Amino acid sequence: MNILKLIRWKNLVMIAVVQLLIKYTLFPAFAVSTTLNALGFTFLILATLFIAAGGYVINDIYDMETDAVNKPNKVVVGKSLSEKTANYLYIIFTVIGVFCGFYLSHSVGKPEFFVMFVIISAALYVYASYLKQIAVAGNILVSLLVSLSVMIVGMFELIPAITPQNQSVQSTMFEVLADFAIFAFCINFIREIVKDIQDVDGDHKVGMQTLPIVFGKLRTAKIAFSLTCLTILIIIYYIGTFLYMHTEAIIYFLVAVVGPLIYIALKLFSAENNHQFKHISFMLKMVMITGMLSMVLYYIIL
């Protein structure tokens, strides 16, 4: 149970579900050509999950001091598991993930794609050990990595299957995937800022320079409010431009995505204490889930 808590198993399940939705709802909706069979796709999911698990472990190792202040009841490293054991787990998870990526890249005839898994693993280490301490930089990097978990499915499924005859369809599918990746980036970026507001006491203790430490909690909340409003406008533009002919899709996005984001924006405008920011962080996670579940809509309406 301690290891499951350490690797954030619920987040890993969500990553796997999103990748499965892309494979089995989004791709069939557009009738695109794909590359991976069930075994190959399993290796893609395993590579993503093991590298992500390693990232969570190394993050907790470097966050031992801040977590002792911010969330003492949830600390695993140094309490339920030794730091030495956690380091072993980080190495094991990362090596397994990179190995799966190595096998996968060669199996699709794109050995150069293996570099992507190495870069992601290195980026997770750099984030945990250094960039997390710098205002905005760490938030941007981790949000890019979240969006990359969406795009990497397109890399391995679509690119090796491109032919002169299907290039247009494959490109359209990439654009749709990019839309979901941008959504994931925006929601995660806002949530990272909100989490920094929650963790300001522990982060300040170890000398980090996060946004709420630099600008203060209330000003940072207003920044998150502005970003949420911008995200709402982007989604409304997307609905009006691409989904205006599909009433069920419009209703879904307004009820399951835009409505909750408006609620979150209002809460951000007035939030003052950690309990309120924790609730906002939870709501942002729910919006991420409902937004990704909208992939099923494409399968239904197309």
Side-chain angles (χ1 to χ4, degrees):
M1 284 303 296
N2 290 324
I3 293 176
L4 289 177
K5 285 171 61 179
L6 183 63
I7 63 174
R8 314 291 201 281
W9 69 271
K10 293 179 183 178
N11 291 355
L12 296 184
V13 168
M14 188 166 76
I15 292 171
V17 168
V18 169
Q19 292 188 332
L20 286 167
L21 285 173
I22 294 171
K23 170 76 169 176
Y24 293 107
T25 64
L26 205 57
F27 288 166
F30 285 80
V32 294
S33 300
T34 56
T35 305
L36 301 176
N37 57 22
L39 179 62
F41 196 71
T42 299
F43 269 94
L44 175 60
I45 291 178
L46 288 176
T48 306
L49 296 190
F50 273 109
I51 290 173
Y56 284 127
V57 174
I58 195 65
N59 188 64
D60 274 15
I61 291 171
Y62 277 97
D63 275 0
M64 287 172 60
E65 191 174 350
T66 58
D67 286 346
V69 176
N70 295 326
K71 42 188 176 183
N73 297 326
K74 295 184 178 181
V75 173
V76 175
V77 180
K79 189 176 180 181
S80 304
L81 287 174
S82 69
E83 184 178 349
K84 183 178 181 180
T85 301
N87 274 299
Y88 281 139
L89 288 173
Y90 163 67
I91 293 170
I92 291 168
F93 289 150
T94 302
V95 168
I96 292 174
V98 171
F99 174 79
C100 288
F102 177 83
Y103 169 82
L104 182 66
S105 301
H106 282 75
S107 70
V108 299
K110 297 286 184 179
E112 64 274 15
F113 283 5
F114 166 65
V115 177
M116 181 61 64
F117 296 100
V118 177
I119 291 173
I120 293 170
S121 301
L124 285 167
Y125 181 85
V126 171
Y127 166 75
S129 62
Y130 177 66
L131 277 185
K132 189 174 183 180
Q133 305 175 39
I134 303 174
V136 183
N139 304 134
I140 290 174
L141 177 60
V142 74
S143 299
L144 282 172
L145 292 175
V146 168
S147 64
L148 193 55
S149 69
V150 174
M151 294 304 297
I152 201 167
V153 181
M155 282 181 58
F156 281 90
E157 285 280 26
L158 302 178
I159 291 178
I162 291 177
T163 65
Q165 292 74 31
N166 67 15
Q167 188 169 0
S168 176
V169 175
Q170 303 290 92
S171 298
T172 300
M173 186 69 262
F174 252 112
E175 291 172 8
V176 174
L177 266 185
D179 292 335
F180 279 101
I182 291 168
F183 172 81
F185 175 88
C186 292
I187 299 300
N188 196 80
F189 184 59
I190 297 166
R191 188 164 182 261
E192 286 295 313
I193 292 173
V194 172
K195 285 164 63 180
D196 281 347
I197 297 173
Q198 291 177 252
D199 295 343
V200 67
D201 294 333
D203 291 347
H204 186 268
K205 182 180 178 181
V206 299
M208 290 187 178
Q209 291 297 308
T210 60
L211 272 181
I213 292 173
V214 174
F215 294 110
K217 292 173 68 173
L218 295 183
R219 283 187 184 141
T220 303
K222 297 303 183 290
I223 293 172
F225 165 80
S226 301
L227 290 172
T228 305
C229 291
L230 178 61
T231 302
I232 292 169
L233 292 175
I234 292 171
I235 294 170
I236 291 174
Y237 170 80
Y238 181 87
I239 294 170
T241 305
F242 300 106
L243 301 174
Y244 62 91
M245 293 183 294
H246 303 286
T247 305
E248 61 271 47
I250 294 172
I251 293 171
Y252 179 88
F253 274 100
L254 290 178
V255 173
V257 180
V258 175
L261 281 175
I262 292 173
Y263 170 81
I264 289 166
L266 294 173
K267 287 293 183 181
L268 279 168
F269 195 77
S270 59
E272 294 179 349
N273 58 57
N274 268 13
H275 177 74
Q276 292 170 319
F277 287 116
K278 184 177 180 180
H279 173 65
I280 291 168
S281 178
F282 171 78
M283 288 301 300
L284 284 164
K285 180 179 274 192
M286 291 301 101
V287 170
M288 177 75 84
I289 293 171
T290 56
M292 291 301 167
L293 285 175
S294 68
M295 291 180 188
V296 179
L297 282 173
Y298 284 93
Y299 188 76
I300 295 171
I301 66 180
L302 293 181

